Coordinates of all heavy atoms in Angstrom, one line a residue:
T1 N 88.3 -26.5 -6.5 CA 89.7 -26.6 -6.7 C 90.1 -25.9 -8.0 O 89.3 -25.9 -9.0 CB 90.3 -28.0 -6.8 OG1 89.6 -28.7 -7.8 CG2 90.0 -28.7 -5.5
A2 N 91.3 -25.3 -8.1 CA 91.7 -24.7 -9.3 C 92.2 -25.7 -10.3 O 92.7 -26.8 -9.9 CB 92.8 -23.7 -9.0
S3 N 92.1 -25.5 -11.5 CA 92.6 -26.4 -12.5 C 93.1 -25.7 -13.7 O 92.9 -24.5 -13.9 CB 91.5 -27.4 -12.9 OG 90.4 -26.7 -13.5
A4 N 93.8 -26.4 -14.6 CA 94.3 -25.8 -15.8 C 93.7 -26.5 -17.0 O 93.2 -27.6 -16.9 CB 95.8 -26.0 -15.8
I5 N 93.7 -25.8 -18.1 CA 93.3 -26.4 -19.4 C 94.3 -27.4 -19.8 O 95.5 -27.2 -19.8 CB 93.1 -25.3 -20.5 CG1 92.2 -24.2 -20.0 CG2 92.7 -25.9 -21.8 CD1 92.3 -23.0 -20.9
D6 N 93.8 -28.6 -20.1 CA 94.6 -29.7 -20.4 C 95.3 -29.6 -21.8 O 96.5 -29.8 -21.9 CB 93.9 -31.1 -20.2 CG 93.6 -31.3 -18.8 OD1 94.5 -31.2 -17.9 OD2 92.4 -31.7 -18.5
I7 N 94.5 -29.3 -22.8 CA 95.0 -29.2 -24.1 C 94.4 -28.0 -24.8 O 93.1 -27.8 -24.8 CB 94.7 -30.5 -24.9 CG1 95.3 -31.7 -24.3 CG2 95.2 -30.3 -26.4 CD1 94.8 -33.0 -24.9
V8 N 95.2 -27.2 -25.5 CA 94.7 -26.1 -26.4 C 95.3 -26.4 -27.7 O 96.5 -26.4 -27.9 CB 95.1 -24.7 -25.9 CG1 94.6 -23.6 -26.8 CG2 94.6 -24.5 -24.5
L9 N 94.4 -26.6 -28.7 CA 94.9 -26.8 -30.1 C 94.7 -25.5 -30.8 O 93.6 -25.0 -31.1 CB 94.0 -27.9 -30.8 CG 94.3 -28.1 -32.2 CD1 95.7 -28.6 -32.5 CD2 93.3 -29.1 -32.8
Y10 N 95.8 -24.8 -31.0 CA 95.8 -23.4 -31.6 C 95.8 -23.6 -33.1 O 96.6 -24.3 -33.6 CB 97.0 -22.7 -31.0 CG 97.1 -21.3 -31.5 CD1 96.2 -20.3 -31.1 CD2 98.1 -20.9 -32.4 CE1 96.3 -19.0 -31.5 CE2 98.2 -19.6 -32.8 CZ 97.3 -18.6 -32.4 OH 97.4 -17.3 -32.8
K11 N 94.9 -22.9 -33.7 CA 94.8 -23.0 -35.2 C 94.9 -21.6 -35.8 O 94.0 -20.8 -35.9 CB 93.4 -23.6 -35.5 CG 93.2 -25.0 -35.0 CD 91.8 -25.5 -35.0 CE 91.1 -25.4 -36.3 NZ 89.7 -26.0 -36.2
P12 N 96.2 -21.2 -36.2 CA 96.4 -19.9 -36.8 C 95.7 -19.8 -38.2 O 95.6 -20.8 -38.9 CB 97.9 -19.8 -37.0 CG 98.4 -21.2 -36.8 CD 97.4 -22.0 -36.1
R13 N 95.1 -18.6 -38.4 CA 94.5 -18.4 -39.7 C 95.2 -17.2 -40.4 O 95.7 -16.3 -39.7 CB 93.0 -18.0 -39.4 CG 92.2 -19.0 -38.6 CD 91.7 -20.0 -39.5 NE 90.8 -20.9 -38.7 CZ 90.7 -22.2 -38.9 NH1 91.5 -22.8 -39.7 NH2 89.9 -22.9 -38.1
G14 N 95.1 -17.2 -41.7 CA 95.7 -16.1 -42.4 C 94.9 -14.8 -42.4 O 95.4 -13.7 -42.8
N15 N 93.7 -14.8 -41.9 CA 92.8 -13.6 -42.0 C 92.9 -12.8 -40.7 O 92.1 -11.9 -40.6 CB 91.3 -14.0 -42.3 CG 90.8 -14.9 -41.1 OD1 91.4 -15.2 -40.1 ND2 89.6 -15.3 -41.3
G16 N 93.8 -13.1 -39.8 CA 93.9 -12.3 -38.6 C 93.1 -12.8 -37.4 O 93.2 -12.3 -36.3
V17 N 92.1 -13.6 -37.7 CA 91.3 -14.2 -36.6 C 91.7 -15.6 -36.3 O 91.3 -16.5 -37.1 CB 89.8 -14.1 -36.9 CG1 88.9 -14.6 -35.8 CG2 89.4 -12.6 -37.2
N18 N 92.5 -15.8 -35.4 CA 92.9 -17.2 -35.0 C 91.9 -17.9 -34.2 O 91.0 -17.3 -33.6 CB 94.3 -17.1 -34.3 CG 95.3 -16.5 -35.2 OD1 95.5 -16.8 -36.3 ND2 96.0 -15.5 -34.6
S19 N 92.0 -19.2 -34.2 CA 91.0 -20.0 -33.4 C 91.7 -21.1 -32.6 O 92.9 -21.4 -32.8 CB 89.9 -20.6 -34.3 OG 90.5 -21.5 -35.2
A20 N 90.9 -21.7 -31.7 CA 91.5 -22.7 -30.9 C 90.4 -23.7 -30.5 O 89.2 -23.4 -30.6 CB 92.1 -22.2 -29.6
V21 N 90.8 -24.9 -30.2 CA 89.9 -25.9 -29.7 C 90.4 -26.3 -28.3 O 91.7 -26.5 -28.2 CB 89.8 -27.2 -30.6 CG1 88.9 -28.2 -30.0 CG2 89.3 -26.8 -32.0
I22 N 89.6 -26.4 -27.3 CA 90.1 -26.7 -26.0 C 89.6 -28.1 -25.6 O 88.5 -28.5 -25.9 CB 89.7 -25.7 -24.9 CG1 88.2 -25.4 -24.9 CG2 90.4 -24.4 -25.2 CD1 87.7 -24.4 -23.8
F23 N 90.4 -28.8 -24.8 CA 90.1 -30.1 -24.3 C 90.4 -30.2 -22.8 O 91.4 -29.6 -22.3 CB 91.0 -31.1 -25.0 CG 90.9 -31.3 -26.4 CD1 91.5 -30.4 -27.3 CD2 90.1 -32.3 -27.0 CE1 91.4 -30.5 -28.7 CE2 89.9 -32.4 -28.4 CZ 90.6 -31.5 -29.2
D24 N 89.5 -30.9 -22.1 CA 89.7 -31.2 -20.7 C 89.8 -32.7 -20.6 O 88.9 -33.4 -21.2 CB 88.6 -30.6 -19.8 CG 89.0 -30.7 -18.3 OD1 90.0 -30.2 -17.9 OD2 88.2 -31.4 -17.6
I25 N 90.7 -33.2 -19.8 CA 90.8 -34.7 -19.6 C 90.2 -35.0 -18.2 O 90.6 -34.4 -17.2 CB 92.3 -35.1 -19.7 CG1 92.9 -34.8 -21.0 CG2 92.4 -36.6 -19.3 CD1 94.4 -35.0 -21.1
K26 N 89.3 -35.9 -18.2 CA 88.6 -36.3 -17.0 C 89.0 -37.8 -16.7 O 88.9 -38.6 -17.6 CB 87.1 -36.2 -17.1 CG 86.6 -34.8 -17.2 CD 86.6 -34.1 -15.9 CE 86.1 -32.7 -16.0 NZ 86.9 -31.8 -15.3
T27 N 89.4 -38.0 -15.5 CA 89.7 -39.4 -15.1 C 88.5 -40.1 -14.3 O 88.4 -41.3 -14.3 CB 90.9 -39.5 -14.2 OG1 90.7 -38.6 -13.0 CG2 92.2 -39.0 -14.9
G28 N 87.6 -39.2 -13.8 CA 86.5 -39.8 -13.1 C 85.2 -39.8 -14.0 O 85.3 -39.8 -15.2
E29 N 84.1 -39.6 -13.3 CA 82.8 -39.6 -14.0 C 82.7 -38.4 -14.9 O 83.0 -37.3 -14.5 CB 81.6 -39.7 -13.0 CG 81.5 -40.9 -12.2 CD 81.1 -42.1 -13.1 OE1 80.3 -42.0 -14.0 OE2 81.6 -43.2 -12.8
F30 N 82.1 -38.5 -16.1 CA 81.8 -37.4 -16.9 C 80.4 -36.8 -16.6 O 79.4 -37.5 -16.5 CB 81.8 -37.9 -18.4 CG 81.2 -36.8 -19.4 CD1 82.0 -35.7 -19.7 CD2 80.0 -36.9 -19.9 CE1 81.6 -34.7 -20.5 CE2 79.5 -36.0 -20.8 CZ 80.3 -34.9 -21.1
C31 N 80.4 -35.5 -16.2 CA 79.2 -34.8 -15.9 C 79.1 -33.6 -16.9 O 79.9 -32.7 -16.8 CB 79.2 -34.3 -14.5 SG 77.8 -33.2 -14.1
R32 N 78.2 -33.7 -17.8 CA 78.1 -32.7 -18.9 C 77.9 -31.3 -18.4 O 78.5 -30.3 -18.8 CB 77.0 -33.0 -19.9 CG 77.0 -32.1 -21.1 CD 76.1 -32.6 -22.2 NE 76.5 -33.9 -22.8 CZ 77.4 -34.0 -23.7 NH1 78.0 -33.0 -24.2 NH2 77.6 -35.2 -24.2
E33 N 77.0 -31.1 -17.4 CA 76.8 -29.8 -16.9 C 78.0 -29.2 -16.2 O 78.4 -28.0 -16.4 CB 75.6 -29.8 -15.9 CG 75.3 -28.4 -15.3 CD 74.1 -28.4 -14.4 OE1 73.5 -29.4 -14.0 OE2 73.8 -27.3 -14.0
Y34 N 78.7 -30.0 -15.4 CA 79.9 -29.5 -14.7 C 80.9 -29.1 -15.8 O 81.6 -28.0 -15.7 CB 80.5 -30.6 -13.8 CG 81.8 -30.2 -13.2 CD1 81.8 -29.5 -12.0 CD2 83.0 -30.6 -13.8 CE1 83.0 -29.2 -11.4 CE2 84.2 -30.2 -13.2 CZ 84.2 -29.5 -12.0 OH 85.4 -29.2 -11.4
C35 N 81.1 -30.0 -16.8 CA 82.1 -29.7 -17.8 C 81.7 -28.5 -18.7 O 82.6 -27.7 -19.1 CB 82.3 -30.9 -18.7 SG 83.1 -32.3 -17.8
S36 N 80.4 -28.2 -18.9 CA 80.0 -27.1 -19.6 C 80.4 -25.8 -18.9 O 80.8 -24.8 -19.5 CB 78.5 -27.1 -19.8 OG 78.1 -28.1 -20.8
W37 N 80.2 -25.8 -17.6 CA 80.6 -24.6 -16.8 C 82.1 -24.5 -16.8 O 82.6 -23.4 -17.0 CB 80.1 -24.8 -15.3 CG 78.7 -24.3 -15.2 CD1 77.6 -25.1 -15.1 CD2 78.2 -23.0 -15.1 NE1 76.5 -24.3 -15.0 CE2 76.8 -23.0 -15.0 CE3 78.8 -21.7 -15.2 CZ2 76.0 -21.9 -14.9 CZ3 78.0 -20.6 -15.1 CH2 76.7 -20.7 -14.9
Q38 N 82.8 -25.5 -16.6 CA 84.3 -25.5 -16.5 C 84.8 -25.0 -17.8 O 85.7 -24.0 -17.9 CB 84.8 -26.9 -16.2 CG 86.3 -26.9 -16.1 CD 86.9 -28.3 -15.7 OE1 86.2 -29.3 -15.9 NE2 88.1 -28.3 -15.2
L39 N 84.4 -25.5 -18.9 CA 84.9 -25.1 -20.2 C 84.4 -23.7 -20.6 O 85.0 -23.0 -21.4 CB 84.6 -26.2 -21.3 CG 85.3 -27.5 -21.1 CD1 84.8 -28.6 -22.0 CD2 86.8 -27.3 -21.4
G40 N 83.2 -23.3 -20.1 CA 82.8 -22.0 -20.3 C 83.7 -21.0 -19.7 O 84.0 -19.9 -20.4
F41 N 84.1 -21.2 -18.5 CA 85.1 -20.3 -17.9 C 86.4 -20.3 -18.6 O 87.0 -19.3 -18.8 CB 85.3 -20.7 -16.4 CG 84.3 -20.0 -15.5 CD1 83.2 -20.8 -15.0 CD2 84.4 -18.7 -15.1 CE1 82.2 -20.2 -14.2 CE2 83.4 -18.1 -14.3 CZ 82.3 -18.9 -13.9
Y42 N 86.9 -21.5 -19.0 CA 88.2 -21.6 -19.8 C 88.1 -20.8 -21.0 O 89.0 -20.0 -21.4 CB 88.5 -23.1 -20.1 CG 88.9 -24.0 -19.0 CD1 89.0 -25.3 -19.2 CD2 89.2 -23.5 -17.7 CE1 89.4 -26.2 -18.2 CE2 89.6 -24.3 -16.7 CZ 89.7 -25.7 -16.9 OH 90.1 -26.5 -16.0
K43 N 87.0 -21.0 -21.8 CA 86.8 -20.2 -23.0 C 86.8 -18.7 -22.8 O 87.5 -18.0 -23.5 CB 85.5 -20.7 -23.7 CG 85.1 -20.0 -25.0 CD 83.8 -20.5 -25.5 CE 83.4 -20.0 -26.9 NZ 83.2 -18.6 -27.0
W44 N 86.0 -18.3 -21.8 CA 85.9 -16.9 -21.5 C 87.3 -16.3 -21.2 O 87.7 -15.3 -21.8 CB 85.0 -16.7 -20.4 CG 84.8 -15.3 -19.8 CD1 84.9 -14.1 -20.6 CD2 84.5 -14.9 -18.5 NE1 84.7 -13.1 -19.7 CE2 84.5 -13.5 -18.5 CE3 84.3 -15.6 -17.3 CZ2 84.2 -12.8 -17.3 CZ3 84.1 -14.9 -16.2 CH2 84.0 -13.5 -16.2
F45 N 88.1 -16.9 -20.3 CA 89.4 -16.5 -19.9 C 90.4 -16.5 -21.1 O 91.1 -15.6 -21.2 CB 89.9 -17.2 -18.7 CG 89.1 -17.0 -17.4 CD1 89.0 -18.1 -16.5 CD2 88.5 -15.9 -17.2 CE1 88.3 -17.9 -15.3 CE2 87.8 -15.7 -16.0 CZ 87.7 -16.7 -15.1
L46 N 90.3 -17.5 -21.9 CA 91.3 -17.6 -23.0 C 91.0 -16.5 -24.0 O 91.9 -15.9 -24.6 CB 91.1 -19.0 -23.7 CG 92.0 -20.1 -23.1 CD1 91.6 -21.4 -23.8 CD2 93.4 -19.8 -23.2
E47 N 89.7 -16.2 -24.3 CA 89.4 -15.2 -25.3 C 89.7 -13.8 -24.8 O 90.0 -12.9 -25.6 CB 87.9 -15.4 -25.7 CG 87.7 -16.6 -26.5 CD 86.3 -16.8 -27.0 OE1 85.4 -16.2 -26.5 OE2 86.1 -17.7 -27.9
I48 N 89.7 -13.6 -23.5 CA 90.1 -12.3 -22.9 C 91.6 -12.2 -23.1 O 92.1 -11.1 -23.5 CB 89.8 -12.2 -21.4 CG1 88.3 -12.1 -21.2 CG2 90.5 -11.1 -20.8 CD1 87.9 -12.2 -19.7
E49 N 92.4 -13.2 -22.8 CA 93.8 -13.1 -22.8 C 94.5 -13.4 -24.2 O 95.6 -13.0 -24.4 CB 94.4 -14.1 -21.8 CG 94.1 -13.7 -20.4 CD 94.7 -12.3 -20.0 OE1 95.8 -12.1 -20.3 OE2 94.0 -11.6 -19.3
G50 N 93.8 -14.2 -25.0 CA 94.4 -14.6 -26.3 C 94.0 -13.8 -27.5 O 93.2 -12.9 -27.4
D51 N 94.7 -14.1 -28.6 CA 94.4 -13.4 -29.8 C 93.6 -14.4 -30.7 O 93.9 -14.5 -31.9 CB 95.7 -12.9 -30.5 CG 96.6 -14.0 -30.8 OD1 96.5 -15.1 -30.3 OD2 97.5 -13.8 -31.7
F52 N 92.6 -15.0 -30.1 CA 91.9 -16.0 -30.9 C 90.5 -16.2 -30.3 O 90.2 -15.7 -29.2 CB 92.6 -17.4 -30.9 CG 93.0 -17.9 -29.6 CD1 92.1 -18.6 -28.8 CD2 94.3 -17.6 -29.0 CE1 92.5 -19.1 -27.6 CE2 94.7 -18.1 -27.8 CZ 93.8 -18.8 -27.1
V53 N 89.6 -17.0 -31.0 CA 88.3 -17.4 -30.4 C 88.3 -18.9 -30.3 O 89.0 -19.6 -31.1 CB 87.2 -16.9 -31.4 CG1 87.1 -15.4 -31.4 CG2 87.3 -17.5 -32.8
V54 N 87.7 -19.4 -29.3 CA 87.5 -20.8 -29.1 C 86.4 -21.3 -29.9 O 85.2 -20.9 -29.7 CB 87.4 -21.1 -27.6 CG1 87.1 -22.6 -27.4 CG2 88.6 -20.7 -26.8
E55 N 86.7 -22.2 -30.9 CA 85.6 -22.7 -31.8 C 84.8 -23.9 -31.2 O 83.7 -24.0 -31.4 CB 86.1 -23.2 -33.1 CG 87.3 -22.6 -33.7 CD 87.5 -23.3 -35.1 OE1 87.7 -24.5 -35.2 OE2 87.6 -22.5 -36.0
D56 N 85.6 -24.7 -30.5 CA 85.0 -26.0 -30.0 C 85.6 -26.3 -28.6 O 86.7 -25.9 -28.3 CB 85.2 -27.1 -31.0 CG 84.3 -27.0 -32.2 OD1 83.1 -26.8 -32.0 OD2 84.8 -27.1 -33.3
A57 N 84.9 -27.2 -27.9 CA 85.4 -27.6 -26.6 C 85.0 -29.1 -26.5 O 83.9 -29.5 -26.8 CB 84.7 -26.8 -25.5
Y58 N 85.9 -29.9 -25.9 CA 85.7 -31.3 -25.8 C 86.2 -31.8 -24.5 O 87.1 -31.2 -23.8 CB 86.5 -32.1 -26.9 CG 86.0 -31.9 -28.3 CD1 86.5 -30.8 -29.1 CD2 85.0 -32.7 -28.8 CE1 86.1 -30.6 -30.3 CE2 84.6 -32.5 -30.1 CZ 85.1 -31.4 -30.9 OH 84.6 -31.2 -32.1
V59 N 85.7 -32.9 -24.0 CA 86.2 -33.6 -22.8 C 86.6 -35.0 -23.3 O 85.9 -35.7 -23.9 CB 85.1 -33.7 -21.7 CG1 85.5 -34.6 -20.6 CG2 84.7 -32.4 -21.2
I60 N 87.8 -35.3 -22.9 CA 88.4 -36.7 -23.0 C 88.1 -37.4 -21.7 O 88.7 -37.1 -20.7 CB 89.9 -36.7 -23.4 CG1 90.1 -35.9 -24.6 CG2 90.4 -38.1 -23.5 CD1 91.6 -35.5 -24.9
A61 N 87.2 -38.3 -21.8 CA 86.8 -39.1 -20.5 C 87.5 -40.4 -20.5 O 87.1 -41.3 -21.3 CB 85.3 -39.3 -20.5
K62 N 88.5 -40.5 -19.7 CA 89.3 -41.7 -19.7 C 88.5 -42.9 -19.1 O 88.7 -44.0 -19.7 CB 90.6 -41.5 -18.8 CG 91.5 -40.5 -19.4 CD 92.7 -40.2 -18.5 CE 93.9 -40.9 -19.0 NZ 95.1 -40.6 -18.2
K63 N 87.7 -42.7 -18.2 CA 86.9 -43.8 -17.6 C 86.0 -44.4 -18.6 O 85.8 -45.6 -18.6 CB 86.1 -43.3 -16.4 CG 85.5 -44.4 -15.6 CD 84.9 -43.8 -14.3 CE 84.3 -44.9 -13.5 NZ 83.8 -44.4 -12.2
D64 N 85.4 -43.6 -19.5 CA 84.5 -44.1 -20.5 C 85.2 -44.4 -21.8 O 84.6 -45.0 -22.7 CB 83.4 -43.0 -20.9 CG 82.6 -42.6 -19.7 OD1 82.5 -43.3 -18.7 OD2 82.0 -41.5 -19.7
A65 N 86.5 -44.0 -21.9 CA 87.2 -44.1 -23.2 C 86.5 -43.5 -24.3 O 86.3 -44.0 -25.4 CB 87.5 -45.6 -23.5
R66 N 86.0 -42.2 -24.0 CA 85.2 -41.5 -25.0 C 85.6 -40.0 -25.1 O 86.1 -39.5 -24.2 CB 83.7 -41.5 -24.7 CG 83.1 -43.0 -24.8 CD 81.6 -43.0 -24.9 NE 81.1 -42.2 -25.9 CZ 79.8 -41.8 -26.0 NH1 79.0 -42.3 -25.1 NH2 79.4 -41.1 -27.0
L67 N 85.3 -39.5 -26.2 CA 85.5 -38.0 -26.5 C 84.1 -37.4 -26.6 O 83.3 -37.8 -27.4 CB 86.3 -37.8 -27.8 CG 86.5 -36.3 -28.2 CD1 87.4 -35.7 -27.2 CD2 87.0 -36.3 -29.6
Y68 N 83.8 -36.4 -25.7 CA 82.5 -35.8 -25.7 C 82.7 -34.3 -26.2 O 83.5 -33.6 -25.7 CB 81.9 -35.7 -24.3 CG 81.6 -37.1 -23.7 CD1 82.5 -37.7 -22.9 CD2 80.4 -37.7 -24.0 CE1 82.1 -39.0 -22.3 CE2 80.0 -38.9 -23.5 CZ 80.9 -39.5 -22.6 OH 80.6 -40.8 -22.1
K69 N 81.8 -33.9 -27.1 CA 81.8 -32.5 -27.5 C 80.9 -31.8 -26.5 O 79.8 -32.3 -26.1 CB 81.2 -32.3 -28.9 CG 81.3 -30.8 -29.3 CD 81.0 -30.7 -30.8 CE 81.1 -29.2 -31.2 NZ 80.9 -29.0 -32.6
V70 N 81.4 -30.7 -25.9 CA 80.6 -30.0 -24.9 C 80.4 -28.5 -25.3 O 81.3 -27.9 -25.9 CB 81.5 -30.0 -23.6 CG1 80.8 -29.2 -22.5 CG2 81.7 -31.4 -23.1
T71 N 79.2 -28.0 -25.0 CA 78.9 -26.6 -25.3 C 79.2 -25.8 -24.1 O 78.6 -26.0 -23.0 CB 77.4 -26.5 -25.7 OG1 77.1 -27.3 -26.8 CG2 77.1 -25.0 -26.0
P72 N 80.2 -24.9 -24.2 CA 80.6 -24.1 -23.0 C 79.4 -23.2 -22.6 O 78.7 -22.7 -23.5 CB 81.8 -23.3 -23.5 CG 82.3 -24.1 -24.6 CD 81.1 -24.7 -25.3
I73 N 79.3 -22.9 -21.3 CA 78.3 -22.0 -20.8 C 78.8 -20.6 -21.4 O 79.9 -20.3 -21.4 CB 78.3 -21.9 -19.3 CG1 77.8 -23.3 -18.7 CG2 77.5 -20.8 -18.7 CD1 76.4 -23.6 -19.0
P74 N 77.8 -19.8 -21.9 CA 78.2 -18.5 -22.4 C 78.8 -17.5 -21.4 O 78.5 -17.7 -20.2 CB 76.8 -17.9 -22.9 CG 75.9 -19.0 -23.0 CD 76.4 -20.1 -22.0
K75 N 79.7 -16.6 -21.8 CA 80.4 -15.8 -20.9 C 79.5 -14.9 -20.0 O 79.8 -14.7 -18.9 CB 81.4 -14.9 -21.7 CG 80.9 -13.7 -22.3 CD 82.0 -12.8 -22.8 CE 81.4 -11.4 -23.1 NZ 82.3 -10.4 -23.4
E76 N 78.4 -14.5 -20.5 CA 77.4 -13.7 -19.7 C 77.0 -14.5 -18.5 O 76.8 -13.9 -17.4 CB 76.2 -13.3 -20.6 CG 76.6 -12.4 -21.7 CD 77.1 -13.1 -22.9 OE1 77.0 -14.3 -23.1 OE2 77.8 -12.4 -23.7
R77 N 76.7 -15.8 -18.6 CA 76.3 -16.6 -17.5 C 77.4 -16.8 -16.5 O 77.3 -16.8 -15.3 CB 75.7 -17.9 -18.0 CG 74.3 -17.7 -18.6 CD 73.6 -19.0 -18.8 NE 73.3 -19.7 -17.6 CZ 73.1 -21.0 -17.5 NH1 73.0 -21.7 -18.7 NH2 72.9 -21.7 -16.4
C78 N 78.7 -17.0 -17.1 CA 79.9 -17.1 -16.2 C 80.1 -15.8 -15.4 O 80.3 -15.9 -14.2 CB 81.1 -17.4 -17.1 SG 81.1 -19.1 -17.8
E79 N 80.0 -14.7 -16.1 CA 80.1 -13.4 -15.4 C 79.1 -13.2 -14.3 O 79.4 -12.7 -13.2 CB 80.0 -12.3 -16.5 CG 81.2 -12.1 -17.4 CD 80.9 -11.0 -18.4 OE1 79.8 -10.9 -19.0 OE2 81.9 -10.3 -18.7
S80 N 77.9 -13.6 -14.6 CA 76.8 -13.4 -13.6 C 77.0 -14.3 -12.4 O 76.6 -13.9 -11.3 CB 75.4 -13.7 -14.2 OG 75.3 -15.1 -14.5
L81 N 77.7 -15.4 -12.5 CA 78.0 -16.2 -11.4 C 79.0 -15.6 -10.5 O 78.9 -15.8 -9.3 CB 78.5 -17.6 -11.9 CG 78.7 -18.7 -10.8 CD1 77.4 -19.1 -10.2 CD2 79.4 -19.9 -11.4
L82 N 79.9 -14.8 -11.0 CA 80.9 -14.1 -10.2 C 80.5 -12.8 -9.6 O 81.2 -12.2 -8.8 CB 82.2 -13.9 -11.1 CG 82.8 -15.2 -11.6 CD1 84.0 -14.9 -12.4 CD2 83.2 -16.1 -10.4
S83 N 79.4 -12.2 -10.1 CA 79.0 -10.9 -9.6 C 77.9 -11.0 -8.5 O 77.4 -12.0 -8.1 CB 78.5 -10.1 -10.7 OG 77.4 -10.7 -11.4

């Protein structure tokens, strides 16, 4: 299914390289591998379209009432999945 990025915390910088932190909100079970892929694609697409780099990615897991830091899958692996 298609989904949208739940939260983008945009952090403007004075040096011309802006950054962002992305968050996904999960209501069901937290699966780190699935979230790494999902946030990897989000990061890749945002950096193509935006004037910033994504510094960090997190999942807000409502079921666990926890915040998980997630390492996004690198863009090269995301690209290879589509080719």
Side-chain angles (χ1 to χ4, degrees):
T1 61
S3 60
I5 302 169
D6 292 312
I7 301 169
V8 177
L9 175 62
Y10 182 70
K11 298 164 52 174
R13 305 275 188 220
N15 63 3
V17 179
N18 299 312
S19 64
V21 178
I22 56 176
F23 297 84
D24 189 56
I25 299 171
K26 294 286 181 223
T27 56
E29 294 291 326
F30 170 72
C31 173
R32 186 171 297 278
E33 182 177 4
Y34 176 87
C35 292
S36 291
W37 277 102
Q38 183 179 19
L39 291 168
F41 275 101
Y42 289 169
K43 178 181 187 295
W44 176 33
F45 294 149
L46 275 175
E47 290 179 346
I48 289 171
E49 293 298 319
D51 61 341
F52 54 86
V53 295
V54 174
E55 332 182 299
D56 288 309
Y58 294 91
V59 170
I60 300 167
K62 293 174 106 179
K63 189 173 185 178
D64 301 340
R66 293 200 50 198
L67 176 70
Y68 295 97
K69 185 171 184 176
V70 175
T71 302
I73 297 294
K75 83 170 191 170
E76 296 78 19
R77 286 193 59 202
C78 292
E79 286 175 320
S80 69
L81 187 68
L82 297 178
S83 57

